[in-house]
Amino acid sequence: MKLHLSTWLEVEAYLKESRGIIIPIGSTEQHGPTGLIGTDAICAEAIAFGVGDAARALVAPTINVGMALHHGAFPGTMSLRPSTLILLIQDYVTGLAKAGFTQFFFINGHGGNIATMKAAFAETYAHLADLNIAGADEVKCHIANWFMCGSVYKLAKELYGDEEGSHATPSEVALTQYVYPEAIKQADLSLEVGKGHNIYGATDFRRRYPDGRMGSNPALATLEHGKQFYELAVKELTNSYLEFVR
Amino acid sequence: MKLHLSTWLEVEAYLKESRGIIIPIGSTEQHGPTGLIGTDAICAEAIAFGVGDAARALVAPTINVGMALHHGAFPGTMSLRPSTLILLIQDYVTGLAKAGFTQFFFINGHGGNIATMKAAFAETYAHLADLNIAGADEVKCHIANWFMCGSVYKLAKELYGDEEGSHATPSEVALTQYVYPEAIKQADLSLEVGKGHNIYGATDFRRRYPDGRMGSNPALATLEHGKQFYELAVKELTNSYLEFVR
Amino acid sequence: MKLHLSTWLEVEAYLKESRGIIIPIGSTEQHGPTGLIGTDAICAEAIAFGVGDAARALVAPTINVGMALHHGAFPGTMSLRPSTLILLIQDYVTGLAKAGFTQFFFINGHGGNIATMKAAFAETYAHLADLNIAGADEVKCHIANWFMCGSVYKLAKELYGDEEGSHATPSEVALTQYVYPEAIKQADLSLEVGKGHNIYGATDFRRRYPDGRMGSNPALATLEHGKQFYELAVKELTNSYLEFVR
Amino acid sequence: MKLHLSTWLEVEAYLKESRGIIIPIGSTEQHGPTGLIGTDAICAEAIAFGVGDAARALVAPTINVGMALHHGAFPGTMSLRPSTLILLIQDYVTGLAKAGFTQFFFINGHGGNIATMKAAFAETYAHLADLNIAGADEVKCHIANWFMCGSVYKLAKELYGDEEGSHATPSEVALTQYVYPEAIKQADLSLEVGKGHNIYGATDFRRRYPDGRMGSNPALATLEHGKQFYELAVKELTNSYLEFVR
Amino acid sequence: MKLHLSTWLEVEAYLKESRGIIIPIGSTEQHGPTGLIGTDAICAEAIAFGVGDAARALVAPTINVGMALHHGAFPGTMSLRPSTLILLIQDYVTGLAKAGFTQFFFINGHGGNIATMKAAFAETYAHLADLNIAGADEVKCHIANWFMCGSVYKLAKELYGDEEGSHATPSEVALTQYVYPEAIKQADLSLEVGKGHNIYGATDFRRRYPDGRMGSNPALATLEHGKQFYELAVKELTNSYLEFVR
Amino acid sequence: MKLHLSTWLEVEAYLKESRGIIIPIGSTEQHGPTGLIGTDAICAEAIAFGVGDAARALVAPTINVGMALHHGAFPGTMSLRPSTLILLIQDYVTGLAKAGFTQFFFINGHGGNIATMKAAFAETYAHLADLNIAGADEVKCHIANWFMCGSVYKLAKELYGDEEGSHATPSEVALTQYVYPEAIKQADLSLEVGKGHNIYGATDFRRRYPDGRMGSNPALATLEHGKQFYELAVKELTNSYLEFVR
Ligand code: NI
Ligand code: NI
Ligand code: NI
Ligand code: NI
Ligand code: NI
Ligand code: NI
């Protein structure tokens, strides 16, 4: 059940059955020469819709732009500052909590969002307590990183070994190929890939990762792999969601 | 050209031809008993993609959640506070301006966003000037409200007269039917529709507009109307965009 | 009844009769070679005092500095950023609402304030609801732009036609001449007046409107016109106020 | 020279002679049973105009609403939160500094503003340095409290002794009587006056100072005293201003 | 009783006896060629522990970094902006107030903190009232500046006369010598000491006070003086604290 | 070398040799019936001083209060909201970066700080880039969690197995016993310890972890263990620091 395709009457009815909602969150950032800028949002949204169907759960609109300041030296990257993302998440959760939602299951496609999301959750719990909203003390927010699902991780290792890398990975590229086969890209990947550097500011990042990839070989990705990743993630996160709202 | 389906190399190439970008912005709010909660985002995004194709312009990801605090007493509504939306827009524009974009064409689906967007633009121009970004003084932001296109307005009047109303209108409902025919809803619309009240807080709004409609009769909407509205809006806003970036 | 000339005991007594208050809001910005920098505040305040007398309504102190960032490249302009003005309005309304006021009638002299004021109102309604103040859901804020009164607009068209323009207009200049006859200015107006450009940042504004006027010919203004504008605006807004608080 | 009665051309000319500007700041707060709510703003503004005339200095519009949260339990009080007032002052000074002003002489009518103003100045100096504005390191802000002028203080002691008190004082009431003789008030002052308590929150304040006076006997005030206070303050602060901008 | 050396059970027990807490606040800023950068925090903390012992009062962890922006042109200085320090103090007091503390006794070692602290207290009282915390209207915050104790001031005058100065004073240097005899410094103090200038921005400050001292001769300090200052301050502030919480 | 015990001349000299600085960060929060409220700050500070000595590195004052909102239902807990802690860290790093520091090595004693610190670092890198500070693109911030050192973790497992738990652990309690032998506490630990629950808001936390411990048995701690943990952490983090600044 997709929130944007529902009416408020349907949401009202849903709330009699469930207090849970899925919020996909991605990023809009460079993903190397062949990866889509929307990779993280595309993956999070596709999987969230799959989980929503399987678990009969409501899915909110995707947070398309996350925390990607370190990718900012590549054109096309968009980012919220952490302080803005904290306010956005607080606004999302507070509004929905006032309507009666208490279980917020964020399906996340971008490692760079995690820290800020956790900070936002802490800020939000305290804010809800301050507002004296009924049920404030039952609100729970959870981050489900699809790319850290055990089954996904295992398959990526089997298929790509060390060439999975940590950004612009073949696994996420494969998943976007499955979702958007019309947008499969070709580009020169012969530049030596950066690897193993810590992440600091945007200028430093581009110096160390000149084409945007982090230790990955996205040329290994195939649409068929993408389908496998999709199915594994949906299955595993459906179980996680059902566990979470139980 | 959709940003989320592009690579950073493609954006880099695009910037050699154009400094313009389209940003769809909608809302996630109640739209009466039969209107989709995502109506404003759906319409803005669909039209933005149409304009992007027609004008060969880059389209950024949609801002799905806008300023809809006054709809907050209906479950399923999500909103940013104006102060949060201002920061979000500032972050979007600032990041893109650093990459070289100067012409920001927001295709908007929600009247309630307009004031905050204008405030955000003013805040952002000053912020860019403070940052000393090259080209800061050439940055221009424009709001294109699809529902205020002359051609759209005229057709709506012809088809619906006064029953167009001002929220959960048959024209926007028609457009969503065209985009998502699988999500056409039926519900009881016999409750007398609220009309002509000013908008203040959320509780007051629901008192005055008990089923969420504002003077509208969305039962008049048809998918075929939706196609017409879509085509009129795309045509008119394509011209506006080309004029804007000229 | 002017708040600054009243005692708290008088306000306490007033609140037993009325929950309404008038807040004049202007701007401190360039108004062309002959217009006073305080034009918008002067007009708003004078009319507010007139309406206050006619309607026996309380008038709060004038917000002298509004949102005029786009005039910032002319010396003497002062402005709040939109985010600051939102906080200021929220502080004003919240404090007065705690004391029992619920009807806030802003008499506005500056078009550039409108968007930010609307954003501020939305932010404030939500804030008041969060604070659980008694009567929060009855708080209503209204913008009354004196220059958009039907009677004012009509007279301006009659007297000045297209030379009314949209900033540093003869109508507002006339009104300031009526209020401050000792401050009528003469200056060279032979520079070709800018006209019809959209408003973006401050540097761009000054490029397009080199002497600060926007399509106007303030040389047409007379003190006698000013008196007429004053009387029309007071009459029309008195009715609006009484309607608003009814 | 009053900013609101000047044109931008006049300000441009002024800046060739002087970098100084006077900013009156008051408060809108209860001043006991007979004191005007606008007392602090009235006094600051009147004296600022006097100093402006005597020193041929530019006077900006008055900040009418200051930091008066502790008076908030009396109806009619308006206040900015300190954090809002800091932003307001920063916006004022930053905009004027960009135009070339460097010497900001705040004539203050309210003791409760002082701490926040000092905090705002520190915040602003750092902000200006960050913005890399020409002359940022020469910007100086000064608080001139008229009620702490040596000559004023001396006269108040002579006239009223201990009955001067520290809020709703006969000296400030006298000054408002001189400026607004039409608004001299009578009320019962027989309630025992609170005295010597520290200032904490608004509820506590009203408990300790039940009619709003702090150790003062405003019944001693006369219009003639007010004239004396006015003249002493103008004279002393004119000297201070000239010293400050030398 | 030191908070950091207590358990929550001990704090729970303490709250049955007392609602008071001592919060030391200092600064991390240059103190001239021979003064320790931590001088203000060291003094505040040492005295706070002394008062805590004498008054059997709980002492919270020291706020080591305060408002020292004006010292920012000397390496090693750290500072919060006033707006940050306000939020920090608000967070401290709000959290402790929720637990039942109502009497906050700040022992302060740095004059530059005072204004921001007062602003923070006002902001916090209002915030607590908004949160509807039990006992919010009884919360009291107090600043006790050890260096302004009558007994301390008198001894400093006796020992140092005018050479006490106002920053990097022999009295505070002496106190740090008493607390940290192993960190007594020697350096060239022959540069003529700056004196009597007002404080504006950091660049200006260093121009006027080139070695960081403000009219002081810290070479007069001795460890034995430090012991005297310590004992006088502890004694006087213990009485103040007991008075405050009575 | 401790910043608070240094002069600005010494810092100036240090900066000619090194751009690195160590910043200890802890928390002030309940640590079960026998753990000190300052445990996390005590451990971070003690180890930071050890590393500072071993690596001849400068150590800044400890951030004593971190992000501990989830412990807020136990008296004595103090916390910054994440948004405040972000500003604090940004202020710390920005000020020091202006003086020339580029390598910020945070020694952290509290898992709950990590997410917010990472968010703060991202915010700060972008802020420094906006400020155009020399060397902004070389600024690097690193979190070194002493409790996650390989050697520490291994010893804790050997000594305590599963009874190490995740909060109020015997290893951190042991370390505080080593640092403050005079503050070793005894209390009833027979209440069944909470274990394995996710962390949400403060009320929920106390429901699930009624005495504050999370799966730990702090009764196993000894002062001798504490010495071992201290030495292992200092050794391992000294190496990390030297690697970081190389
Ligand atoms: Ni990715
Ligand atoms: Ni709509
Ligand atoms: Ni105007
Ligand atoms: Ni006063
Ligand atoms: Ni000091
Ligand atoms: Ni711990």
Side-chain angles (χ1 to χ4, degrees):
Chain A
M1 182 177 171
K2 292 166 185 165
L3 180 59
H4 71 287
L5 298 185
S6 306
T7 66
W8 73 265
L9 289 168
E10 290 168 342
V11 175
E12 191 175 57
Y14 175 88
L15 276 163
K16 288 178 183 140
E17 306 298 323
S18 172
R19 301 310 201 79
I21 189 165
I22 295 169
I23 305 181
I25 176 166
S27 183
T28 296
E29 66 186 41
Q30 70 82 15
H31 268 78
T34 57
L36 305 182
I37 284 175
T39 296
D40 298 349
I42 292 165
C43 296
E45 183 172 283
I47 293 165
F49 286 162
V51 174
D53 286 348
R56 307 178 63 86
L58 191 62
V59 182
T62 303
I63 301 173
N64 292 303
V65 175
M67 210 313 285
L69 290 172
H70 48 299
H71 295 292
F74 293 89
T77 295
M78 298 175 71
S79 182
L80 300 179
R81 281 171 295 154
S83 54
T84 305
L85 184 52
I86 287 173
L87 292 169
L88 180 147
I89 289 173
Q90 185 172 283
D91 283 357
Y92 273 36
V93 172
T94 301
L96 291 166
K98 286 178 182 173
F101 291 95
T102 54
Q103 295 150 333
F104 298 86
F105 192 80
F106 287 80
I107 293 185
N108 178 38
H110 175 48
N113 289 336
I114 297 172
T116 300
M117 293 172 73
K118 287 184 178 173
F121 296 167
E123 185 104 10
T124 301
Y125 298 134
H127 181 63
L128 292 172
D130 282 349
L131 294 188
N132 262 324
I133 292 174
D137 63 340
E138 287 162 26
V139 168
K140 305 192 300 179
C141 298
H142 179 79
I143 306 178
N145 299 298
W146 76 267
F147 51 89
M148 288 169 73
C149 287
S151 56
V152 166
Y153 187 82
K154 186 156 162 290
L155 179 61
K157 275 295 161 213
E158 279 170 25
L159 292 173
Y160 314 126
D162 281 354
E163 294 184 275
E164 167 71 356
S166 57
H167 178 66
T169 61
S171 59
E172 63 181 347
V173 168
L175 209 156
T176 63
Q177 290 182 348
Y178 171 59
V179 181
Y180 286 110
E182 70 274 25
I184 298 178
K185 309 284 169 149
Q186 306 299 335
D188 180 14
L189 289 171
S190 63
L191 192 65
E192 199 185 353
V193 66
K195 194 177 300 190
H197 308 290
N198 288 322
I199 296 178
Y200 305 111
T203 300
D204 181 80
F205 184 96
R206 187 155 181 181
R207 265 197 307 254
R208 300 190 189 288
Y209 298 104
D211 72 0
R213 290 176 297 151
M214 299 175 74
S216 68
N217 181 5
L220 303 176
T222 72
L223 188 155
E224 291 72 25
H225 295 166
K227 183 166 189 292
Q228 289 178 271
F229 285 118
Y230 170 79
E231 286 167 355
L232 289 171
V234 167
K235 187 168 172 200
E236 190 165 331
L237 293 185
T238 299
N239 289 336
S240 298
Y241 176 80
L242 293 172
E243 181 78 14
F244 178 65
V245 299
R246 208 176 40 189
Chain B
M1 181 178 168
K2 292 166 185 164
L3 180 58
H4 69 288
L5 299 186
S6 306
T7 66
W8 72 265
L9 288 168
E10 290 168 343
V11 175
E12 190 176 55
Y14 175 89
L15 275 164
K16 289 180 183 138
E17 305 298 323
S18 173
R19 301 308 201 80
I21 189 164
I22 295 168
I23 305 181
I25 175 167
S27 183
T28 296
E29 66 186 43
Q30 69 81 15
H31 269 78
T34 58
L36 305 183
I37 283 176
T39 295
D40 298 349
I42 292 165
C43 295
E45 182 171 283
I47 292 164
F49 286 162
V51 174
D53 285 349
R56 306 177 66 84
L58 191 62
V59 182
T62 303
I63 301 172
N64 292 303
V65 175
M67 209 312 285
L69 289 172
H70 48 299
H71 295 292
F74 292 91
T77 295
M78 297 174 72
S79 181
L80 300 180
R81 282 170 295 154
S83 54
T84 305
L85 184 51
I86 287 173
L87 292 170
L88 179 146
I89 289 174
Q90 184 172 284
D91 283 357
Y92 274 36
V93 172
T94 301
L96 291 165
K98 287 179 182 172
F101 290 95
T102 55
Q103 296 150 332
F104 297 86
F105 192 80
F106 287 79
I107 294 186
N108 178 37
H110 174 49
N113 289 337
I114 297 172
T116 300
M117 292 172 74
K118 286 183 178 172
F121 295 166
E123 185 105 10
T124 301
Y125 297 134
H127 181 63
L128 292 173
D130 282 349
L131 293 188
N132 263 322
I133 291 175
D137 64 341
E138 287 162 26
V139 168
K140 307 193 297 179
C141 298
H142 179 79
I143 306 179
N145 299 299
W146 77 266
F147 52 90
M148 290 169 72
C149 287
S151 56
V152 166
Y153 187 82
K154 184 156 163 290
L155 180 62
K157 275 296 160 213
E158 278 170 27
L159 293 173
Y160 315 127
D162 281 354
E163 294 184 275
E164 166 72 353
S166 56
H167 179 67
T169 62
S171 59
E172 62 180 348
V173 168
L175 210 156
T176 62
Q177 291 182 347
Y178 171 58
V179 180
Y180 287 109
E182 70 274 26
I184 298 177
K185 310 282 169 151
Q186 306 298 336
D188 179 15
L189 289 170
S190 63
L191 192 64
E192 198 184 354
V193 67
K195 196 175 298 190
H197 308 290
N198 288 321
I199 295 178
Y200 305 111
T203 300
D204 181 80
F205 184 96
R206 187 157 181 179
R207 267 197 305 254
R208 300 192 188 286
Y209 298 105
D211 72 1
R213 290 176 298 150
M214 299 176 73
S216 67
N217 181 2
L220 303 177
T222 72
L223 186 155
E224 291 72 25
H225 294 167
K227 183 167 187 295
Q228 288 178 270
F229 286 118
Y230 170 80
E231 286 166 356
L232 289 171
V234 167
K235 188 169 170 199
E236 190 166 329
L237 293 186
T238 298
N239 288 336
S240 299
Y241 177 80
L242 292 172
E243 182 77 15
F244 177 65
V245 298
R246 207 173 43 186
Chain C
M1 183 178 171
K2 291 166 186 166
L3 181 58
H4 70 288
L5 299 185
S6 306
T7 65
W8 73 265
L9 289 168
E10 290 169 343
V11 174
E12 190 176 58
Y14 175 88
L15 276 163
K16 288 179 183 139
E17 305 298 322
S18 173
R19 303 306 200 80
I21 189 165
I22 295 169
I23 305 180
I25 175 167
S27 184
T28 296
E29 66 187 39
Q30 70 82 14
H31 268 79
T34 57
L36 305 182
I37 284 175
T39 296
D40 298 350
I42 292 165
C43 296
E45 184 172 283
I47 292 165
F49 286 162
V51 174
D53 285 349
R56 308 177 65 84
L58 191 62
V59 182
T62 302
I63 301 173
N64 293 303
V65 176
M67 209 313 286
L69 289 173
H70 47 299
H71 295 291
F74 292 91
T77 295
M78 297 175 71
S79 181
L80 300 180
R81 282 171 295 154
S83 54
T84 305
L85 184 51
I86 288 173
L87 292 170
L88 179 146
I89 290 174
Q90 184 172 284
D91 283 357
Y92 275 35
V93 172
T94 302
L96 292 165
K98 286 178 183 173
F101 291 95
T102 55
Q103 295 151 333
F104 298 86
F105 192 80
F106 287 80
I107 293 187
N108 178 37
H110 173 48
N113 288 337
I114 298 173
T116 300
M117 293 171 74
K118 287 184 177 171
F121 295 167
E123 186 103 10
T124 301
Y125 298 134
H127 182 64
L128 292 172
D130 283 350
L131 293 189
N132 264 323
I133 291 174
D137 64 341
E138 286 161 28
V139 169
K140 305 194 297 179
C141 298
H142 180 79
I143 306 178
N145 300 299
W146 75 267
F147 52 89
M148 289 169 71
C149 287
S151 56
V152 166
Y153 187 84
K154 186 157 161 291
L155 180 62
K157 275 294 160 216
E158 279 170 26
L159 293 173
Y160 314 126
D162 281 355
E163 294 184 275
E164 165 72 354
S166 56
H167 178 67
T169 61
S171 57
E172 62 181 347
V173 168
L175 211 155
T176 62
Q177 291 181 347
Y178 172 58
V179 181
Y180 287 108
E182 70 274 26
I184 298 179
K185 310 282 168 152
Q186 306 299 335
D188 180 16
L189 289 169
S190 63
L191 192 65
E192 198 185 355
V193 67
K195 196 176 298 191
H197 308 291
N198 288 322
I199 295 178
Y200 306 112
T203 300
D204 181 81
F205 184 96
R206 188 156 181 181
R207 266 196 306 253
R208 299 190 190 288
Y209 298 104
D211 72 0
R213 291 176 296 151
M214 300 175 73
S216 67
N217 182 2
L220 303 177
T222 72
L223 188 154
E224 291 72 23
H225 294 168
K227 183 167 189 293
Q228 288 179 272
F229 285 118
Y230 170 79
E231 286 166 357
L232 288 172
V234 167
K235 186 169 173 200
E236 189 164 331
L237 293 185
T238 298
N239 289 336
S240 298
Y241 177 80
L242 293 172
E243 181 79 14
F244 177 65
V245 300
R246 208 173 43 190
Chain D
M1 183 179 170
K2 292 167 185 165
L3 180 59
H4 71 287
L5 298 186
S6 307
T7 66
W8 71 264
L9 288 168
E10 291 169 342
V11 175
E12 192 176 55
Y14 175 89
L15 276 164
K16 288 179 184 139
E17 306 298 323
S18 173
R19 304 306 202 77
I21 189 165
I22 294 169
I23 305 180
I25 175 166
S27 183
T28 296
E29 67 186 41
Q30 70 83 15
H31 269 78
T34 58
L36 305 183
I37 284 175
T39 296
D40 298 348
I42 291 165
C43 296
E45 184 172 282
I47 292 165
F49 287 162
V51 175
D53 285 349
R56 307 177 66 82
L58 191 63
V59 183
T62 303
I63 302 172
N64 293 303
V65 176
M67 209 314 286
L69 289 173
H70 47 299
H71 295 291
F74 292 90
T77 295
M78 298 175 70
S79 180
L80 300 180
R81 283 170 295 154
S83 54
T84 304
L85 184 51
I86 288 173
L87 292 169
L88 180 146
I89 289 174
Q90 184 173 282
D91 283 358
Y92 274 35
V93 172
T94 302
L96 292 166
K98 286 178 182 172
F101 291 95
T102 55
Q103 295 151 331
F104 298 85
F105 192 80
F106 288 79
I107 293 185
N108 178 38
H110 174 48
N113 289 336
I114 298 172
T116 300
M117 293 172 74
K118 287 184 177 171
F121 296 167
E123 186 104 10
T124 301
Y125 298 134
H127 182 63
L128 293 172
D130 282 349
L131 293 188
N132 262 322
I133 292 175
D137 62 342
E138 287 161 27
V139 168
K140 306 192 297 179
C141 298
H142 180 79
I143 306 178
N145 300 298
W146 77 265
F147 51 89
M148 288 169 72
C149 286
S151 56
V152 167
Y153 187 82
K154 186 158 161 290
L155 179 61
K157 275 296 159 213
E158 279 170 26
L159 293 173
Y160 314 127
D162 282 354
E163 294 184 274
E164 166 72 354
S166 56
H167 178 67
T169 61
S171 59
E172 62 181 347
V173 168
L175 210 155
T176 63
Q177 291 182 348
Y178 171 58
V179 181
Y180 286 108
E182 71 273 27
I184 298 178
K185 310 282 168 153
Q186 306 298 337
D188 180 15
L189 289 169
S190 63
L191 191 65
E192 197 185 356
V193 66
K195 193 176 302 191
H197 307 291
N198 289 321
I199 296 179
Y200 305 111
T203 300
D204 181 80
F205 184 96
R206 188 157 181 179
R207 264 196 307 254
R208 298 190 190 286
Y209 298 104
D211 72 0
R213 291 176 297 150
M214 299 175 73
S216 66
N217 181 3
L220 303 176
T222 73
L223 189 154
E224 293 70 25
H225 294 167
K227 184 165 187 294
Q228 288 178 271
F229 285 117
Y230 170 79
E231 287 166 357
L232 288 171
V234 167
K235 185 166 172 205
E236 188 165 332
L237 294 185
T238 298
N239 289 335
S240 299
Y241 177 79
L242 292 172
E243 181 78 16
F244 177 64
V245 299
R246 208 175 42 188
Chain E
M1 183 177 168
K2 293 168 184 164
L3 180 59
H4 69 287
L5 298 186
S6 305
T7 67
W8 73 263
L9 289 168
E10 289 169 342
V11 175
E12 192 175 56
Y14 175 89
L15 277 164
K16 288 180 184 139
E17 306 298 322
S18 172
R19 302 308 200 80
I21 189 165
I22 294 169
I23 305 181
I25 176 167
S27 183
T28 297
E29 65 187 41
Q30 70 81 15
H31 268 79
T34 57
L36 305 184
I37 285 177
T39 296
D40 298 349
I42 291 165
C43 296
E45 183 171 284
I47 292 165
F49 287 161
V51 175
D53 285 349
R56 305 179 65 84
L58 192 61
V59 183
T62 302
I63 301 174
N64 293 303
V65 176
M67 210 313 285
L69 289 172
H70 47 299
H71 294 293
F74 292 90
T77 295
M78 299 175 70
S79 181
L80 299 180
R81 282 172 294 154
S83 54
T84 305
L85 183 51
I86 288 173
L87 291 170
L88 180 146
I89 289 174
Q90 184 173 282
D91 284 357
Y92 274 36
V93 172
T94 302
L96 291 166
K98 286 179 182 173
F101 291 94
T102 55
Q103 295 151 331
F104 298 86
F105 192 80
F106 288 79
I107 293 186
N108 178 38
H110 174 48
N113 289 337
I114 297 172
T116 300
M117 291 171 74
K118 286 184 178 172
F121 296 166
E123 186 103 10
T124 301
Y125 297 135
H127 181 64
L128 292 172
D130 283 350
L131 292 189
N132 263 323
I133 291 175
D137 64 341
E138 287 162 27
V139 168
K140 307 192 298 181
C141 298
H142 180 79
I143 306 179
N145 300 299
W146 76 267
F147 51 90
M148 290 169 71
C149 287
S151 55
V152 166
Y153 187 83
K154 185 157 163 291
L155 179 62
K157 276 295 161 215
E158 279 170 26
L159 293 173
Y160 315 126
D162 281 354
E163 294 184 273
E164 165 73 354
S166 56
H167 178 67
T169 61
S171 59
E172 61 182 348
V173 168
L175 210 155
T176 62
Q177 291 181 348
Y178 172 59
V179 181
Y180 287 108
E182 70 274 26
I184 298 178
K185 310 281 167 152
Q186 305 299 334
D188 179 15
L189 288 171
S190 63
L191 193 64
E192 197 184 355
V193 67
K195 194 176 299 190
H197 308 290
N198 289 321
I199 295 178
Y200 305 110
T203 300
D204 181 79
F205 184 95
R206 187 155 179 180
R207 266 196 305 254
R208 299 190 190 287
Y209 298 105
D211 72 0
R213 290 177 296 150
M214 300 176 75
S216 66
N217 181 5
L220 303 177
T222 71
L223 190 153
E224 290 71 25
H225 294 167
K227 182 164 189 295
Q228 289 178 271
F229 285 117
Y230 171 79
E231 286 166 357
L232 289 171
V234 167
K235 187 169 172 201
E236 189 165 332
L237 293 185
T238 297
N239 288 336
S240 299
Y241 177 80
L242 292 172
E243 181 79 13
F244 178 65
V245 299
R246 208 175 40 188
Chain F
M1 181 177 170
K2 292 168 184 164
L3 180 59
H4 71 287
L5 297 186
S6 307
T7 66
W8 72 265
L9 288 168
E10 290 168 342
V11 175
E12 192 175 56
Y14 175 88
L15 276 164
K16 288 179 184 140
E17 306 297 323
S18 172
R19 303 307 201 79
I21 190 165
I22 294 169
I23 305 180
I25 175 167
S27 182
T28 296
E29 66 186 42
Q30 69 82 15
H31 268 79
T34 57
L36 305 182
I37 283 175
T39 296
D40 298 349
I42 292 164
C43 295
E45 183 171 283
I47 293 165
F49 287 162
V51 174
D53 285 348
R56 306 178 63 86
L58 192 62
V59 182
T62 302
I63 302 172
N64 293 303
V65 175
M67 210 313 287
L69 290 172
H70 48 298
H71 295 292
F74 293 90
T77 295
M78 299 175 70
S79 181
L80 300 180
R81 282 171 295 154
S83 53
T84 304
L85 184 51
I86 287 173
L87 292 169
L88 179 146
I89 290 174
Q90 185 172 282
D91 283 357
Y92 274 35
V93 172
T94 301
L96 291 167
K98 287 178 181 172
F101 290 94
T102 54
Q103 295 151 331
F104 297 86
F105 192 80
F106 287 80
I107 293 186
N108 178 38
H110 174 48
N113 288 337
I114 297 172
T116 300
M117 293 172 74
K118 287 183 177 173
F121 295 167
E123 186 104 10
T124 301
Y125 297 134
H127 182 63
L128 292 173
D130 283 350
L131 293 188
N132 263 323
I133 292 174
D137 63 340
E138 287 162 25
V139 169
K140 306 192 298 180
C141 298
H142 179 78
I143 306 178
N145 300 299
W146 75 267
F147 51 89
M148 289 169 72
C149 286
S151 55
V152 166
Y153 187 83
K154 186 157 162 291
L155 178 62
K157 274 297 159 213
E158 279 169 27
L159 293 173
Y160 315 125
D162 281 356
E163 294 184 273
E164 166 72 354
S166 57
H167 178 67
T169 60
S171 58
E172 61 182 347
V173 169
L175 209 156
T176 62
Q177 291 182 346
Y178 172 59
V179 181
Y180 287 109
E182 70 274 27
I184 298 178
K185 309 282 169 151
Q186 306 299 336
D188 179 14
L189 289 170
S190 64
L191 192 65
E192 198 184 355
V193 66
K195 193 177 301 191
H197 308 290
N198 288 322
I199 296 178
Y200 306 111
T203 301
D204 181 81
F205 184 96
R206 186 155 181 181
R207 266 197 305 255
R208 299 190 191 287
Y209 297 104
D211 72 1
R213 290 177 297 151
M214 299 176 74
S216 66
N217 181 3
L220 303 177
T222 72
L223 189 154
E224 291 72 24
H225 294 167
K227 183 166 188 294
Q228 288 179 272
F229 285 119
Y230 171 79
E231 286 166 356
L232 288 171
V234 167
K235 185 169 172 201
E236 189 166 331
L237 293 185
T238 298
N239 289 336
S240 299
Y241 176 79
L242 292 172
E243 181 78 13
F244 178 64
V245 298
R246 209 178 38 191

